[in-house]
Amino acid sequence: MALLIDARAFKGANTSINAKLLPPGVGEDARNLDTSQGDMRGMRDAVSVHVLTGLIGQMASIYRMGRDEASDTAYWLAAADDQDYARSLLAADSTERTYITGGGSPPRYTDNTYLTATPYPTDTVGLGVPAPATAMVAALNVAGTGPNETRVYTDTFLRANGDESAPNTLTTSLDVLGGSTVNLTSLAAVPAGDHGITLRRIYVTTGGEYQRVLEQAATLTTAADTGTRGAVLQTGGSSTKPSWLTPPDDMVGITELWSGMHGAHHGKAYRVCVQFNPHAWPIEYRKIISDTIVGTAAWGENWLLATTGLPRVVNGSSPAGMIARPIVGFKQACQSKRSVRSVGHGVCWASNDGLAYHGQLGTKVLTDGVLTKAQWRALGPSSIIGACWGRWYIGFYNTGTERGSFMIDTVEPGRIIWTDVVGYGAFEDSVSETLYVLGYGNSILKWDYGSMLEARFKTAVFRRPTDVNAGAARIVATQYPVRFTLWANGEIRVYQREVFSDDTFRLPSGYVATEFQAQVDGKGPIEGVFVGEEMADLP
């Protein structure tokens, strides 16, 4: 007589390894399983806490402003396509400036002054500040008495928040005596478009740094240099100061880095802004690699570029010093920009072979030995949207005929848990440490928040050396009912019933087998699943 099935640990599923060779606690199927307490229990449901209104169609991207306070409802930004959001790193920013890239639009920003009505935001402003594009005219007004000097004039545009453009590349020169006053006319017109420009600054140099002459309304077309000199121009104009150019229209993937820097990418180029000035993207801070960048994410002071070839890691303490180094030998090309996700100790992304990872815990494919490559590819890696919840990477997939999600433990991989939650986008809120999922109908779902779901665990195949009959079973649980299913010799389902207590129960006779496998479905907690030849075999 013998105990045929002894399942007391429930860690997740593995469909890559032969079901007869699975390690203890790993089964052939696991769904909606919460493994945090060692037993088998259902994870809590992701439930709707808010519904986005005033939108047409299904949204794909979400982001929450009002980040100084925890909230499920205020203030949700959403888009029907893939968009990236990053918050200002300025300590004194009272407007919660939020930068946006993607969606087929040039980079832009919004702030809390545009949160007056839904859908949020009510407006955005172009991220870059264009420089004046035509040269001014300079003419002597009153001659001075000093030595001869050559004055070179330039100007910049500003927003009310202090964002300043690169200097006008079309400078104007005038030879005058020191102390002369000069009239400046034909000042460049404010460029078309929503750039938020309100002010103009005029600067002059006589051989050294450009110094400020004056600041005035951007719409004024005349000015006068009366000899006043102020702050030095910081946005370009010398060999040591790269021009604060506007970002390219196709720049995407804006993300917060470190030391006041934001990063982004387009094509094969990765870019870094001027520290604490995400409106300014000097060409000198652009670097080119040999592969197209698909998506990026950062952990610590490491910025990973997931590409169509070798992934790279960018490090550096300043924009000019950011250098990308390939992860040699790890040819895991990224299949989905939206799959690229920081998990705290590293970055994960969907490759064609599986869920790739690089970080403090090494370089590996987390799904190796968990799913076969064919099983992984059947999920549609190009569709995967990633999220991080604790130590778990959550992937929302769309095969074309089915939507679903899975969970992979990034610290101790080797198992997968499937879930019933369908997601079109996700947002990890650091204020409340909450994962929000964008559900069907633009519902905002709060992960792990609702009532306990019904979980499923299908054990490994337990094998006996000789044919036997499974005569009895026992399910030890804290909460019932539990649905019990038994298979013999692989494909023969010999028994199924609802179990309402931990009493042992008889199983049907009239057959023998060498292989047995059980499945339990229930909310749990369930502490053990036991099948034996006789009742006396059961614990």
Side-chain angles (χ1 to χ4, degrees):
M1 304 303 174
L3 184 63
L4 305 179
I5 293 178
D6 184 350
R8 311 183 197 214
F10 309 90
K11 298 179 180 179
N14 185 310
T15 54
S16 175
I17 299 174
N18 187 316
K20 303 171 189 177
L21 304 175
L22 291 173
V26 179
E28 193 174 37
D29 189 17
R31 180 168 292 272
N32 300 330
L33 187 63
D34 176 0
T35 64
S36 62
Q37 298 184 54
D39 53 26
M40 175 186 164
R41 63 179 65 200
M43 59 184 284
R44 293 193 296 173
D45 198 3
V47 297
S48 177
V49 292
H50 184 63
V51 178
L52 303 176
T53 59
L55 301 166
I56 300 174
Q58 176 65 49
M59 298 294 103
S61 302
I62 53 172
Y63 177 88
R64 194 182 74 80
M65 291 184 66
R67 300 290 302 288
D68 292 331
E69 295 182 4
S71 174
D72 294 333
T73 60
Y75 300 87
W76 285 103
L77 280 59
D81 41 29
D82 176 29
Q83 296 194 5
D84 317 291
Y85 304 87
R87 187 175 178 178
S88 165
L89 300 177
L90 293 171
D93 175 25
S94 62
T95 63
E96 196 178 348
R97 232 175 293 172
T98 300
Y99 310 108
I100 307 170
T101 60
S105 299
R108 53 217 179 275
Y109 82 91
T110 191
D111 59 39
N112 58 25
T113 65
Y114 298 117
L115 300 179
T116 56
T118 57
Y120 305 120
T122 56
D123 202 1
T124 60
V125 179
L127 182 54
V129 183
T134 60
M136 68 184 77
V137 175
L140 178 66
N141 180 20
V142 177
T145 59
N148 290 332
E149 61 186 22
T150 299
R151 297 184 189 177
V152 180
Y153 291 95
T154 190
D155 55 343
T156 64
F157 284 132
L158 288 89
R159 289 196 270 250
N161 63 15
D163 290 347
E164 187 171 6
S165 75
N168 192 336
T169 58
L170 300 175
T171 59
T172 298
S173 299
L174 182 67
D175 293 326
V176 296
L177 296 175
S180 298
T181 61
V182 173
N183 290 330
L184 303 170
T185 59
S186 301
L187 298 177
V190 176
D194 190 0
H195 305 292
I197 293 170
T198 58
L199 298 170
R200 183 195 313 269
R201 286 176 179 167
I202 296 176
Y203 295 87
V204 69
T205 178
T206 56
E209 296 277 13
Y210 278 95
Q211 289 184 280
R212 192 185 307 169
V213 175
L214 57 86
E215 180 179 292
Q216 64 182 28
T219 54
L220 297 177
T221 58
T222 63
D225 177 8
T226 61
T228 301
R229 300 292 181 260
V232 171
L233 173 64
Q234 298 298 319
T235 64
S238 73
S239 60
T240 59
K241 293 188 178 71
S243 292
W244 291 21
L245 303 179
T246 59
D249 286 351
D250 61 345
M251 189 180 82
V252 297
I254 193 164
T255 188
E256 300 167 18
L257 298 178
W258 54 92
S259 300
M261 296 182 288
H262 284 79
H265 62 93
H266 60 107
K268 297 180 180 179
Y270 65 94
R271 304 184 72 121
V272 182
C273 71
V274 175
Q275 288 168 290
F276 299 104
N277 289 278
H279 72 284
W281 299 81
I283 195 70
E284 291 85 349
Y285 300 163
R286 182 193 71 176
K287 305 290 175 59
I288 307 294
I289 61 175
S290 58
D291 298 304
T292 298
I293 301 168
V294 179
T296 76
W299 86 98
E301 294 190 1
N302 307 278
W303 183 25
L304 187 136
L305 312 178
T307 77
T308 56
L310 282 177
R312 270 86 167 167
V313 176
V314 180
N315 304 106
S317 58
S318 66
M322 297 288 273
I323 303 299
R325 295 175 176 83
I327 304 173
V328 178
F330 195 57
K331 296 180 179 179
Q332 297 298 323
C334 184
Q335 301 297 308
S336 166
K337 173 179 175 292
R338 303 184 73 196
S339 73
V340 185
R341 186 66 57 177
S342 174
V343 291
H345 49 79
V347 172
C348 293
W349 67 97
S351 77
N352 202 37
D353 293 337
L355 185 64
Y357 167 88
H358 176 77
Q360 296 173 5
L361 303 182
T363 303
K364 49 196 166 184
V365 177
L366 298 180
T367 48
D368 267 0
V370 178
L371 300 175
T372 66
K373 289 182 181 179
Q375 290 167 343
W376 169 260
R377 291 170 185 174
L379 296 177
S382 63
S383 74
I384 291 175
I385 302 165
C388 177
W389 182 62
R391 61 195 283 166
W392 297 89
Y393 177 96
I394 300 172
F396 301 95
Y397 64 86
N398 179 9
T399 66
T401 58
E402 176 189 15
R403 285 182 177 270
S405 52
F406 62 85
M407 300 170 57
I408 297 287
D409 188 332
T410 62
V411 178
E412 297 180 13
R415 56 213 166 98
I416 189 169
I417 295 171
W418 305 97
T419 90
D420 291 335
V421 181
V422 171
Y424 295 80
F427 173 71
E428 297 145 31
D429 195 333
S430 59
V431 179
S432 59
E433 296 186 352
T434 298
L435 172 63
Y436 292 98
V437 177
L438 177 61
Y440 180 74
N442 299 323
S443 179
I444 301 295
L445 310 178
K446 195 170 184 177
W447 186 269
D448 188 44
Y449 185 68
S451 59
M452 190 178 290
L453 293 168
E454 182 174 275
R456 168 174 294 174
F457 186 82
K458 188 174 185 180
T459 69
V461 173
F462 290 79
R463 192 169 187 179
R464 299 294 302 165
T466 58
D467 284 334
V468 296
N469 172 249
R474 183 186 181 207
I475 310 299
V476 178
T478 302
Q479 180 173 320
Y480 296 91
V482 175
R483 187 166 61 258
F484 169 80
T485 307
L486 178 69
W487 287 268
N489 284 350
E491 298 181 357
I492 304 172
R493 193 183 83 177
V494 298
Y495 190 67
Q496 185 176 69
R497 67 171 285 176
E498 295 288 316
V499 179
F500 296 93
S501 73
D502 67 352
D503 293 339
T504 58
F505 53 91
R506 292 284 184 184
L507 297 174
S509 59
Y511 75 96
V512 291
T514 57
E515 297 176 353
F516 298 91
Q517 188 174 26
Q519 177 178 299
V520 282
D521 296 81
K523 294 184 177 181
I526 300 169
E527 292 82 34
V529 179
F530 308 103
V531 176
E533 287 188 70
E534 300 290 345
M535 285 191 173
D537 298 327
L538 304 177

